[in-house]
Amino acid sequence: MRIGVIGTGRIGTIHASTLSRHREVGSLILTDADPARAQGLAHRLGETAAPGVDEVFRWGVDAVVITAATAAHAELIGRAARSALPVFCEKPIALDLPGTLQALAEVEAAGTVLQMGFQRRFDAGYSGAREAVRAGRLGRLHTVRAMTCDQSPPPARWLPLSGGLFRDTLIHDFDVLRWVTGREVTDVYATGSDRGPAMFREAGDVDTGAALLTLDDGTLATASATRLNGAGYDVRMELAGERDTVVVGLDDRTPLASTEPTGPPPADKPWTGFLERFGPAYEAELAAFVEVVRGERANPCDGGEALQALRIAEACEVSRRERRPVALTEIADRTRPLQQ
């Protein structure tokens, strides 16, 4: 199998390295907006670098992995679909609903595969939580709390391109909330704070945000995020039911310090970022993609799932700006039921 990797930045490098080691992947063709970066990575991995995207498609590949800049995702998805190629794409498809819907329409028309990179679906902790909920171990679920806290903020130049905290960061929590509970979000109330560095205000973004979400069975969920969690990278989900409560992301590297006299000690080596925390999950999602390309399994996370997560993020942005509750029915688009 020959796979084209478009984009060799931080996450592209990780994905290319993973695929290069995979026993079912014979070779890679790498390309990047910075040709020297792609060439350097290809040299380190013993793979081939292409001068541009055109060559990736012209030289012939069996599938494409898209880790380029977000603004390029939708066009590249469409191009791969028109070339009848399966695609793995990092989230999001696009930063707006029209761009997302257009790309999905091209995939549907071509009858090709689009697997989205929501890696938390492949994390052992989230998988365990999903199994606990679906097996009824927690009883009636009444409260879910999700959070994503980055240790340090991204570069200022990147913020205007990110789509904002709800679309860029909390979209992972929105996706995994649906996946773990099997429920849909019906309405949201969101707010944010820009009391941190001025670069967030200048970008029209917030450094900290929170949302109250109501699920279609009445379960209440909260999702919060910040770019400024100095203690370390902290990603957790708590699920509380009438019978039991479980938590994802609580281990000896969780950046928490208890004030209780008999509480656990603080982590000696707290998580520093998402690549470290979710390393095994990133490998698992690409292994799944290879199986999808080989026809050995169904697509575990298609573009429709990304659309639903984006709708929630869009509703949160409207709520934050207008300071009011927003029903998901206000975010007009073509939707379909959650895959169980």
Side-chain angles (χ1 to χ4, degrees):
M1 182 186 303
R2 193 182 202 189
I3 296 180
V5 179
I6 304 175
T8 57
R10 182 169 56 172
I11 192 65
T13 295
I14 295 294
H15 286 344
S17 299
T18 297
L19 289 168
S20 186
R21 298 192 304 269
H22 197 289
R23 65 181 182 277
E24 301 293 350
V25 178
S27 62
L28 303 177
I29 299 178
L30 313 178
T31 194
D32 191 88
D34 179 355
R37 184 163 66 179
Q39 185 66 54
L41 179 60
H43 179 73
R44 293 195 299 274
L45 297 178
E47 304 289 355
T48 302
V53 172
D54 290 346
E55 286 78 9
V56 171
F57 287 96
R58 191 164 61 243
W59 292 355
V61 291
D62 300 300
V64 173
V65 170
I66 299 173
T67 54
T70 297
H73 287 187
E75 191 278 329
L76 290 170
I77 289 170
R79 184 166 184 178
R82 294 189 297 274
S83 300
L85 291 173
V87 175
F88 176 94
C89 184
E90 279 299 321
K91 64 83 190 169
I93 294 173
L95 292 177
D96 58 16
L97 287 169
T100 299
L101 291 168
Q102 175 60 38
L104 290 179
E106 294 213 56
V107 171
E108 183 176 355
T112 52
V113 169
L114 168 60
Q115 180 182 328
M116 295 304 301
F118 282 110
Q119 86 284 352
R120 295 187 193 184
R121 292 179 177 225
F122 297 87
D123 176 72
Y126 284 105
S127 295
R130 174 184 163 99
E131 291 170 5
V133 171
R134 302 302 178 90
R137 172 182 153 194
L138 308 185
R140 183 186 68 84
L141 194 64
H142 56 75
T143 308
V144 183
R145 306 178 187 92
M147 62 184 296
T148 296
C149 302
D150 292 328
Q151 184 175 29
S152 55
R157 66 181 182 278
W158 183 79
L159 287 175
L161 308 174
S162 71
L165 187 68
F166 291 97
R167 295 188 192 93
D168 176 59
T169 298
L170 277 166
I171 198 167
H172 280 287
D173 297 274
F174 301 150
D175 174 71
V176 83
L177 171 66
R178 296 178 61 245
W179 186 73
V180 167
T181 65
R183 313 304 310 189
E184 296 289 358
V185 174
T186 60
D187 55 79
V188 308
Y189 187 85
T191 188
S193 170
D194 61 3
R195 294 178 60 239
M199 64 181 184
F200 292 98
R201 292 184 292 278
E202 293 166 357
D205 197 6
V206 292
D207 59 73
T208 303
L212 172 63
L213 309 102
T214 303
L215 307 188
D216 58 10
D217 64 348
T219 301
L220 298 180
T222 59
S224 62
T226 185
R227 304 283 197 184
L228 303 163
N229 198 58
Y233 181 72
D234 192 1
V235 173
R236 277 176 283 136
M237 173 181 270
E238 299 172 6
L239 299 109
E242 292 182 341
R243 294 180 185 169
D244 201 358
T245 298
V246 295
V247 59
V248 179
L250 182 61
D251 58 21
D252 60 0
R253 299 192 64 183
T254 305
L256 290 174
S258 174
T259 60
E260 298 296 334
T262 59
D268 290 333
K269 187 181 178 183
W271 298 108
T272 59
F274 62 92
L275 292 177
E276 181 184 35
R277 165 65 177 84
F278 290 110
Y282 282 120
E283 293 195 12
E285 69 177 357
L286 286 176
F289 179 61
V290 171
E291 291 176 355
V292 170
V293 175
R294 288 171 56 84
E296 296 171 351
R297 68 175 293 175
N299 188 350
C301 185
D302 69 16
E305 303 298 288
L307 172 62
Q308 293 295 78
L310 179 61
R311 290 182 68 237
I312 300 169
E314 288 285 327
C316 287
E317 279 293 348
V318 173
S319 178
R320 179 181 74 85
R321 292 195 307 268
E322 300 182 6
R323 296 180 177 273
R324 65 176 180 88
V326 175
L328 266 290
T329 53
E330 294 184 44
I331 311 300
D333 62 76
R334 181 186 63 196
T335 62
R336 56 181 175 72
L338 170 68
Q339 293 179 344
Q340 296 293 337

